[in-house]
Amino acid sequence: QQPVQSPQAVILREGEDAVINCSSSKALYSVHWYRQKHGEAPVFLMILLKGGEQKGHEKISASFNEKKQQSSLYLTASQLSYSGTYFCGTAGIQGAQKLVFGQGTRLTINP
Amino acid sequence: KAGVTQTPRYLIKTRGQQVTLSCSPISGHRSVSWYQQTPGQGLQFLFEYFSETQRNKGNFPGRFSGRQFSNSRSEMNVSTLELGDSALYLCASSFIAGSYEQYFGPGTRLTVT
């Protein structure tokens, strides 16, 4: 079943923070975050594995609450280059490559 | 290291025809997954191959098929094309099978008229 992302779209000014959420109705083993710019391929950001760990990537970090089957992506002090559509992909079984992606969250950063 | 390459990048076909898309993974990557991306349905998993074997398959009709060669290159085939098959087809490779980071190619934009 497809995870639900919220919000569907968000518009920020450069320097502002954003949080994108990803919720699943199924038990999750891993959550994968990707960013896709218009006309380009999705680019891998990070994976969070079962265990509730938090990861960071420059000013982008994420958390994974396995009890709630939720993951959140945090973008702090956003830059123009952060604009794009963010997708979460979920896998419910260790070793399962079949990722199910959410519908995406479109992030627009204005100067 | 070269990224994932897909050919062709753009394709226009007529209903009823068939099409073959190609994907070359990153050197050393043995797992290749295929996805269909449309504005309405988003990113949907088609299938995954590892060491020439299909490991997983998504919920697509049998008109969609694929294969992987010994050099890890993969092809997907769509027979009897329908208008609804118009989409961006993305290929992603990863080092090993499993829930690991995937690297996407630029995709093949298929238009069915």
Side-chain angles (χ1 to χ4, degrees):
Chain A
Q1 194 162 352
Q2 188 176 43
V4 177
Q5 287 186 235
S6 62
Q8 290 186 328
V10 59
I11 300 174
L12 299 174
R13 285 193 175 179
E14 200 173 6
E16 293 182 333
D17 301 340
V19 179
I20 300 172
N21 300 303
C22 175
S23 296
S24 174
S25 59
K26 287 188 169 183
L28 299 177
Y29 173 75
S30 62
V31 179
H32 307 225
W33 286 97
Y34 289 81
R35 176 174 63 210
Q36 184 177 31
K37 293 183 180 288
H38 183 69
E40 299 180 10
V43 173
F44 170 79
L45 293 175
M46 65 188 79
I47 290 178
L48 297 103
L49 301 178
K50 186 177 176 181
E53 63 178 288
Q54 185 153 348
K55 280 197 168 184
H57 179 75
E58 296 180 343
K59 292 181 181 178
I60 302 175
S61 62
S63 63
F64 177 24
N65 186 324
E66 64 185 85
K67 289 183 181 178
K68 293 185 177 180
Q69 285 119 234
Q70 289 179 352
S71 177
S72 294
L73 185 71
Y74 308 94
L75 300 101
T76 57
S78 57
Q79 305 169 13
L80 295 176
S81 62
Y82 287 0
S83 292
T85 300
Y86 290 77
F87 293 96
C88 70
T90 59
I93 304 171
Q94 181 178 3
Q97 188 72 339
K98 183 178 176 178
L99 284 183
V100 182
F101 283 93
Q103 280 292 86
T105 295
R106 180 172 291 182
L107 175 65
T108 303
I109 310 293
N110 292 321
Chain B
K1 195 182 259 190
V4 178
T5 58
Q6 291 186 246
T7 56
R9 293 292 311 278
Y10 303 92
L11 207 49
I12 300 175
K13 289 285 187 178
T14 305
R15 257 184 318 176
Q17 288 185 315
Q18 76 166 15
V19 66
T20 299
L21 311 181
S22 180
C23 170
S24 292
I26 291 172
S27 178
H29 284 193
R30 296 169 61 193
S31 174
V32 173
S33 296
W34 288 90
Y35 295 86
Q36 181 195 65
Q37 186 174 34
T38 59
Q41 300 297 321
L43 266 168
Q44 291 189 288
F45 174 82
L46 280 157
F47 25 65
E48 182 229 346
Y49 287 89
F50 180 76
S51 293
E52 303 177 66
T53 301
Q54 188 180 87
R55 289 188 76 244
N56 280 300
K57 190 176 190 306
N59 297 323
F60 278 82
R63 299 185 297 107
F64 292 81
S65 63
R67 59 177 175 169
Q68 186 181 35
F69 303 95
S70 58
N71 61 358
S72 295
R73 191 177 70 84
S74 178
E75 288 182 346
M76 68 163 279
N77 184 278
V78 188
S79 62
T80 320
L81 284 167
E82 300 178 359
L83 295 178
D85 296 334
S86 294
L88 179 67
Y89 289 89
L90 291 161
C91 157
S93 78
S94 59
F95 182 61
I96 56 176
S99 298
Y100 297 100
E101 57 193 84
Q102 298 182 42
Y103 295 87
F104 282 84
T108 295
R109 173 74 62 185
L110 173 65
T111 302
V112 182
T113 61

